[in-house]
Amino acid sequence: PPALSAEQAKAVLAEVIKAFGAPENAQRMEEARDNACNDMGKMLQFLLPVATQIQQDVIKAYGFSSDGEGVLKFARLIKSYESQDPEIASMSGKLKAMFLPPMTLPPHGAGTGGVAAS
């Protein structure tokens, strides 16, 4: 895999984040999210391939292989810089939030406030 400096890694990461914001990609992610209906297993089934594809399109220009392996190597590279560079850490968190559902489950009491009393 290409050896990117922290600066280069940051630039690629910024581009990947921008790619997720592109209207056609946002649309694809939205559809995948709808198909998954907040089901964790389905999220991985629908959302991950789309997210992987979007990342591949960006990072292959930087010498990463355009397959799942390239995306994993890119993720590992970013991870290795997270501890040294708070900006990379924050961008990485932003990127993950785009395709990983927040890990919080709704509280069990949600939606029962006062309704049961009627």
Side-chain angles (χ1 to χ4, degrees):
L4 299 181
S5 69
E7 280 312 303
Q8 290 167 315
K10 201 181 292 182
V12 181
L13 194 52
E15 223 175 293
V16 169
I17 291 172
K18 207 165 75 191
F20 273 92
E24 68 276 15
N25 288 337
Q27 175 76 42
R28 286 163 67 195
M29 291 295 285
E30 199 49 54
E31 282 167 17
R33 228 175 244 118
D34 289 347
N35 289 335
C37 321
N38 277 334
D39 174 306
M40 196 57 210
K42 288 193 179 136
M43 277 284 184
L44 298 174
Q45 197 186 331
F46 291 111
L47 218 53
L48 228 47
V50 177
T52 302
Q53 189 84 57
I54 294 171
Q55 291 182 72
Q56 278 165 5
D57 289 345
V58 175
I59 67 175
K60 66 180 183 212
Y62 296 90
F64 289 91
S65 55
S66 54
D67 54 17
E69 190 55 37
V71 171
L72 287 175
K73 287 188 173 132
F74 175 65
R76 278 201 288 270
L77 177 77
I78 295 303
K79 192 127 205 66
S80 70
Y81 283 127
E82 278 179 7
S83 55
Q84 309 162 28
D85 191 317
E87 202 181 334
I88 289 182
S90 117
M91 288 165 82
S92 171
K94 194 185 288 184
L95 175 61
K96 289 193 190 98
M98 287 173 171
F99 60 86
L100 290 175
M103 287 305 186
T104 49
L105 294 169
H108 286 301
T112 53
V115 182
S118 53

